[in-house]
């Protein structure tokens, strides 16, 4: 009996990213990315884990697509590895790298699964990092060239293109606090990176559209920022600042309003924003057909003199307190608060109207409970997480939000960046010794949800 039905044509799917699942890092002409370098740097990734083998998806993609078909997925979001396509970041295209995605797309289409391509999920060619990476303006141009090369090969079969995944992470974690590759720790560099990522998005979006791409979008990890005390003016100011640094700094220029004045003033206290040139904001405002939203947990802040702030939000040190997560937590230590997803969807729909939304990632890391004998892995806590968040998404739809689909993170357990393989997000269990895939209880549950188009 269906209690909650989603709109007709609602897109159900799952998401992954190249470096997290593919492995085969030295095959068919792929060159190192910043994540190959970073994961080999002692102390950066849990127990020195790397993506060298990961889920060996590069060789097992056919089996994985069969698994997706078995689960009834209508869409699959994957990312293309730039260092497979243009190993030096720029220069000649490597056809063998494109061949892999060609085979993958055909396998998906054979099974009636709609491919959703992410062009950049953090694996910048190391050769480009050596020239400044995203702190260098040229990287934005190289990105657009690379995007076009991928479109030239796959554009006849792929309808939906997204440029960047979570530029907030690339910039603030990659160049600001050093938690992600390339490991930079410089707040000014983080803001330069924000701008060049957005510029790269705009240039690529324009090029893709000119080449005939049907749907062009971007994926952001927006924050549902909440005050510790709803009545406190200081807390409201802290919310405004964090919202500016994570949400409006991306959404405003993407939707044509340019950078918000309060955010620019904040940036200017840290670095002279001379990297923003005349005309850039116009490029960044290239028309968007779709906004992908990744949501995992809410962010609670208080405004407090001397507050510790967060290294992931430059300039919050000394004035903002990020509250420790409370209540039930996932294995990442992240709060479980489905209502945050409803709030976020409604807020984006209200403040940036007319933009179709899709949840490009949502899911939870939970410790593995291997009940091998039963033929699946019992992940009741993940089922509860997903159920709660789908109800929250439905609530937003019921209140009028134009939400087009939901992609669970992730299809497979995979390389969870700085956490290595110790955190498992998959609805399908991966045994890294044998590469055996076992659908978890959540995969069976999701299969049911999809077949009923609801809960
Ligand atoms: C996202 N944070 O990463 C990524 O898009 C995925 O590749 C990743 O596996 C998934 O979420 C789970 O972590 C994030 O610190 C990493 O706020 C870190 C943060 C947010 C998202």
């Amino acid at each position: 009996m269906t209690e909650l039905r989603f709109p007709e044509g609602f897109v159900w799917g799952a998401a992954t990213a190249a470096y997290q699942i593919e492995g085969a890092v030295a095959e068919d002409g792929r060159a190192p990315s910043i994540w190959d370098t970073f994961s080999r740097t002692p102390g950066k990734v849990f127990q020195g884990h790397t993506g060298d083998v990961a889920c060996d998806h590069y060789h097992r993609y056919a089996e994985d697509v069969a698994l997706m078909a078995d689960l009834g997925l209508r869409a699959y979001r994957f990312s293309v590895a730039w260092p497979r396509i243009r190993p030096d970041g720029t220069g000649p295209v490597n056809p063998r790298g494109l061949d892999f995605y060609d085979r993958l797309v055909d396998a998906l289409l054979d099974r009636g699964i709609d491919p959703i391509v992410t062009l950049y999920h953090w694996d910048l060619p190391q050769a480009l990092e050596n020239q400044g990476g995203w702190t260098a303006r040229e990287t934005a141009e190289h990105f657009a060239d690379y995007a076009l090369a991928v479109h030239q090969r796959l554009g006849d079969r792929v309808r939906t293109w997204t440029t960047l995944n979570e530029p907030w992470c690339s910039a603030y974690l990659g160049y600001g606090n050093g938690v992600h590759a390339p490991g930079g720790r410089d707040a000014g560099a983080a803001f330069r990176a924000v701008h060049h990522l957005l510029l790269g998005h705009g240039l690529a979006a324009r090029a893709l559209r000119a080449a005939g791409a049907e749907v062009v979008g971007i994926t952001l990890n927006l924050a549902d920022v909440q005050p510790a005390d709803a009545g406190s003016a200081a807390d409201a100011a802290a919310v405004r600042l964090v919202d500016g640094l994570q949400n409006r700094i991306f959404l405003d220029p993407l939707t044509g309003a340019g950078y918000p004045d309060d955010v620019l003033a904040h940036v200017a206290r840290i670095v002279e924003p001379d990297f923003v040139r005349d005309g850039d904001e116009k490029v960044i405002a290239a028309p968007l057909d779709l906004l992908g939203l990744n949501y995992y947990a809410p962010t609670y802040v208080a405004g407090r003199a001397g507050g510790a702030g967060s290294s992931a939000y430059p300039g919050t040190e000394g004035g903002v307190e990020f509250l420790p997560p409370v209540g039930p937590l996932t294995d990442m230590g992240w709060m479980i608060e489905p209502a945050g997803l409803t709030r976020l969807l409604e807020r984006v729909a209200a403040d940036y109207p007319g933009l179709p939304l899709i949840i490009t990632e949502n899911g939870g890391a939970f410790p593995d409970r291997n009940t091998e004998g039963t033929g699946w892995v019992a992940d009741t806590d993940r089922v509860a997480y997903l159920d709660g968040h789908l109800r929250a998404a439905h609530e937003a739809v019921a209140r009028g939000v134009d939400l087009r689909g939901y992609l669970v993170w992730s299809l497979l357990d995979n390389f969870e960046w700085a956490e290595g393989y110790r955190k498992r997000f998959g609805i399908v269990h991966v045994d890294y010794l044998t590469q055996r895939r076992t659908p978890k209880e959540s995969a069976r549950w999701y299969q049911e949800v999809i077949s009923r188009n609801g809960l």
Side-chain angles (χ1 to χ4, degrees), residues 251-289:
L251 286 169
D252 284 21
L254 284 168
T255 55
Y259 288 110
D261 290 339
D262 62 314
V263 174
L264 267 188
H266 180 84
V267 171
R269 283 196 282 277
I270 293 166
V271 60
E272 173 65 42
D274 54 3
F275 43 84
V276 182
R277 297 193 191 160
D278 281 354
D280 285 359
E281 283 160 311
K282 192 157 177 262
V283 174
I284 294 168
L288 280 179
D289 304 305

Side-chain angles (χ1 to χ4, degrees), residues 17 20 77 121-122 165-166 168-169 173 180 221 246 294 296 332 334 361 409 414-417 425:
Q20 296 183 272
R77 170 180 182 250
H121 201 125
W122 307 353
N165 175 71
E166 303 191 349
W168 179 88
C169 289
L173 306 184
H180 282 182
N221 59 316
Q246 186 152 5
N294 296 349
Y296 290 94
M332 297 291 281
W334 296 349
E361 288 181 25
W409 185 271
N414 61 47
F415 175 78
E416 178 49 32
W417 307 113
F425 274 91

Side-chain angles (χ1 to χ4, degrees), residues 70-303:
D70 177 54
L71 295 179
L73 301 193
R74 307 280 159 71
Y76 173 56
R77 170 180 182 250
F78 62 94
S79 78
V80 174
W82 187 347
R84 289 196 192 282
I85 309 308
R86 277 209 156 103
D88 292 329
T90 174
V93 168
N94 171 35
R96 287 180 299 160
L98 283 166
D99 289 346
F100 169 68
Y101 299 103
D102 204 88
R103 294 193 293 274
L104 174 61
V105 164
D106 282 345
L108 290 167
L109 293 174
D110 271 353
R111 302 288 198 143
I113 301 168
D114 194 27
I116 298 178
V117 168
T118 301
L119 286 160
Y120 184 72
H121 201 125
W122 307 353
D123 42 1
L124 186 74
Q126 181 61 42
L128 284 184
E129 183 54 38
N130 298 344
Q131 298 163 43
W134 288 109
T135 68
R137 189 176 172 92
E138 294 71 34
T139 299
E141 282 148 34
H142 298 320
F143 175 64
D145 290 345
Y146 146 73
L148 211 49
V150 179
H151 184 272
Q152 246 157 40
R153 184 68 172 273
L154 305 179
D156 56 336
R157 284 154 292 152
V158 172
R159 290 178 51 245
T160 308
W161 297 82
T162 63
T163 54
L164 308 174
N165 175 71
E166 303 191 349
W168 179 88
C169 289
S170 298
Y172 296 85
L173 306 184
Y175 293 91
N177 75 0
V179 170
H180 282 182
R185 289 163 182 266
D186 171 351
F191 288 125
R192 292 180 76 87
V194 165
H195 183 64
H196 296 143
L197 283 153
L198 282 170
L199 190 63
H201 157 80
L203 292 169
R206 190 156 76 179
L208 289 166
R209 186 163 322 271
E214 221 170 294
V215 177
V216 178
I218 185 171
T219 282
L220 303 175
N221 59 316
L222 299 175
D224 167 53
V225 192
Q226 295 297 325
D229 171 358
S232 152
D235 292 3
V239 167
R240 177 95 182 138
L241 174 58
V242 172
D243 176 64
L245 288 172
Q246 186 152 5
N247 301 331
R248 291 179 293 116
I249 196 172
F250 296 105
L251 286 169
D252 284 21
L254 284 168
T255 55
Y259 288 110
D261 290 339
D262 62 314
V263 174
L264 267 188
H266 180 84
V267 171
R269 283 196 282 277
I270 293 166
V271 60
E272 173 65 42
D274 54 3
F275 43 84
V276 182
R277 297 193 191 160
D278 281 354
D280 285 359
E281 283 160 311
K282 192 157 177 262
V283 174
I284 294 168
L288 280 179
D289 304 305
L290 189 66
L291 175 64
L293 223 137
N294 296 349
Y295 174 82
Y296 290 94
T299 306
Y300 281 87
V301 298

